[in-house]
Amino acid sequence: MKIKEAIFVASSVAYEKCPNNEKPAFALIGRSNVGKSSLINMLLDRKNLAKTSNKPGKTQLINYFLVNNQWYLVDLPGYGWAQVSKEKRKQWKKMITDYLLYRENLLCVFVLVDARLTPQKIDIEFINWLGKNQVPFVIILTKVDKQPQQKTQANFATFKKALLNYWEELPKFFETSSRDKTGREEFLNYIESIIHQNKS
């Protein structure tokens, strides 16, 4: 898939206020500071389309990007250790949960996991929640350029072993790097394949 156009179109605090359901949507989510905004910019080949920050909790709304006037890439608030109030985390949780469960045009969720880390309980719990609620998803390993490939593979082997405690069949996954664009072509081609499958 070639990215000809990518524009920011809307932010919302509730799934009911998101853009219409006529075009397919793909959502990205992960722990705070996992590299979500950088990955969006890399995928869409735009330098500052999604605002990046070293401070966790930068994304606080459901942000919609329209790609090639054909589909939406949706940036959801991160989960985890963002330094916000308990009430704000509660609001985020409801916003994210409602979107994932009730947004009719959502075709797939991309769960971002930092390739440098051993399995994190919060990631496993969120992945299991998606499975329990039958929300289609793919696991995206981020920041693979920041360590030797051997270390990435070792961490992911441990991650897969942890998942096999709950899953009979492992989800699909991609390795990505926002800096050197690792995985970009595979990622976009996967989105394109899902769009075609949904049309047939």
Side-chain angles (χ1 to χ4, degrees):
M1 175 191 294
K2 291 185 178 180
I3 304 300
K4 299 177 182 177
E5 181 184 39
I7 58 172
F8 169 77
V9 290
S11 291
S12 70
V13 295
Y15 81 96
E16 302 97 329
K17 298 180 180 180
C18 291
N20 64 60
N21 274 329
E22 295 175 0
K23 294 180 173 64
F26 300 84
L28 282 82
I29 192 169
R31 290 190 315 114
S32 297
N33 230 26
V34 75
K36 192 155 43 73
S37 296
S38 296
L39 183 65
I40 290 171
N41 291 331
M42 181 272 280
L43 286 175
L44 302 183
D45 199 25
R46 301 293 187 273
K47 193 171 183 179
N48 294 303
L49 189 61
K51 303 302 181 183
T52 60
S53 173
N54 289 324
K55 182 180 179 181
K58 177 70 174 178
T59 304
Q60 300 188 16
L61 300 169
I62 303 173
N63 295 318
Y64 263 71
F65 303 94
L66 180 60
V67 185
N68 293 346
N69 200 34
Q70 294 178 340
W71 55 278
Y72 294 109
L73 192 62
V74 185
D75 184 11
L76 296 174
Y79 55 81
W81 51 274
Q83 295 179 348
V84 295
S85 68
K86 186 176 181 180
E87 181 62 28
K88 178 62 73 174
R89 288 198 299 270
K90 184 178 178 181
Q91 292 173 7
W92 286 359
K93 182 177 181 180
K94 175 174 172 49
M95 176 171 59
I96 294 168
T97 299
D98 286 351
Y99 179 85
L100 294 175
L101 293 180
Y102 305 125
R103 196 61 182 165
E104 295 176 358
N105 64 331
L106 177 64
L107 298 189
C108 187
V109 177
F110 297 109
V111 182
L112 277 57
V113 174
D114 192 327
R116 301 171 299 175
L117 304 179
T118 54
Q120 303 294 298
K121 181 180 178 182
I122 193 169
D123 289 328
I124 300 294
E125 288 176 347
F126 182 71
I127 288 168
N128 288 343
W129 180 87
L130 290 174
K132 180 180 178 181
N133 288 279
Q134 298 184 330
V135 179
F137 72 94
V138 171
I139 297 172
I140 306 296
L141 297 182
T142 64
K143 306 181 181 182
V144 298
D145 60 290
K146 296 184 180 296
Q147 67 181 3
Q149 180 67 11
Q150 185 177 359
K151 179 66 174 175
T152 295
Q153 293 304 318
N155 282 348
F156 193 56
T158 306
F159 190 82
K160 288 189 287 187
K161 186 176 181 180
L163 283 179
L164 286 172
N165 289 322
Y166 309 95
W167 293 76
E168 291 184 2
E169 183 178 346
L170 289 172
K172 189 176 183 63
F173 74 93
F174 293 102
E175 295 182 14
T176 65
S177 163
S178 298
R179 186 178 69 176
D180 60 23
K181 297 188 176 182
T182 298
R184 182 176 185 269
E185 185 175 351
E186 293 86 351
F187 201 141
L188 291 174
N189 286 344
Y190 183 72
I191 289 176
E192 188 173 41
S193 70
I194 295 179
I195 292 173
H196 286 319
Q197 290 172 19
N198 193 61
K199 288 180 178 178
S200 59

